């Protein structure tokens, strides 16, 4: 019987250090175990988790994760979370060795595959968007130069149209003054 999840697995996959990973707390929720127990199982089997299967977030990365999480009460980030790649997720299910872990690992791997397919199919669209954005930047700079030229010309025309300053000349005769 297939398991149903409250939200798609793909929404739990994040890109950290240029790799698609899932955090220990999200995997623990999926596998139905406390995060602490999941991490204990990983430590007991550390030789099964090389660097390309799993890594621990740096304090800076963990702080960034804290700032992105709206509900801090749900997540305990006093410790730097572990991030598992697709291979690490498969190994994790073998280490946890439960029916639910195996079922969830299949769903998670399928999520990674769907995400990879989605990214591959959208590379063409991403390239087009990037091309449009770079063209937009060039057009924007040309427009800015034209606006500056128009403003300068408008000021020159305004200066040309301006009347000379009025000087009051005295009219009439002056008594007692000889020029």
């Amino acid at each position: 019987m297939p398991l149903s999840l409250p939200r798609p697995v793909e929404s739990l996959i994040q890109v950290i250090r240029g790799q698609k990973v899932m955090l220990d707390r999200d995997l623990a929720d999926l596998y139905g175990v406390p995060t602490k127990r999941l991490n204990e199982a990983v430590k007991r089997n550390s030789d099964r988790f090389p660097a390309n299967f799993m890594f621990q977030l740096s304090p800076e990365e963990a702080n960034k994760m804290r700032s992105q999480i709206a509900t801090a009460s749900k997540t305990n980030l006093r410790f730097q979370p572990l991030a598992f790649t697709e291979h690490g997720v498969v190994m994790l299910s073998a280490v946890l060795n439960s029916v639910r872990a195996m079922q969830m690992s299949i769903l998670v791997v399928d999520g990674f595959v769907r995400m990879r397919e989605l990214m591959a199919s959208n590379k063409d669209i991403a390239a087009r968007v990037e091309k449009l954005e770079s063209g937009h930047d060039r057009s924007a700079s040309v427009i800015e130069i034209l606006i500056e030229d128009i403003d300068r010309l408008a000021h020159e025309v305004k200066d040309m149209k301006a009347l000379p300053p009025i000087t009051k000349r005295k009219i009439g005769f002056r008594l007692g003054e000889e020029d």
Side-chain angles (χ1 to χ4, degrees), residues 17-34:
R17 298 183 194 172
Q19 297 185 60
K20 290 183 287 301
V21 297
M22 290 184 72
L23 298 180
D24 55 359
R25 66 169 188 267
D26 295 328
L27 288 166
D29 285 345
L30 287 175
Y31 293 158
V33 297

Side-chain angles (χ1 to χ4, degrees), residues 14 16-17 21-26 35-36 38-40 42-43 54-66 69 75-84:
Q14 302 178 41
I16 301 174
R17 298 183 194 172
V21 297
M22 290 184 72
L23 298 180
D24 55 359
R25 66 169 188 267
D26 295 328
T35 306
K36 183 177 181 177
L38 184 140
N39 290 336
E40 287 172 353
V42 170
K43 284 180 185 175
M54 177 208 74
F55 57 87
Q56 188 167 27
L57 270 59
S58 69
E60 295 80 24
E61 291 167 330
N63 284 333
K64 186 176 179 185
M65 296 300 298
R66 276 186 203 97
I69 296 171
T75 59
N76 180 4
L77 291 178
R78 288 182 295 175
F79 306 102
Q80 277 74 286
L82 297 177
F84 294 85

Side-chain angles (χ1 to χ4, degrees), residues 2 6 14 28 41 84-85 98 101 110 123:
Q14 302 178 41
F84 294 85
T85 64
S98 72
D110 285 344
K123 279 186 180 181

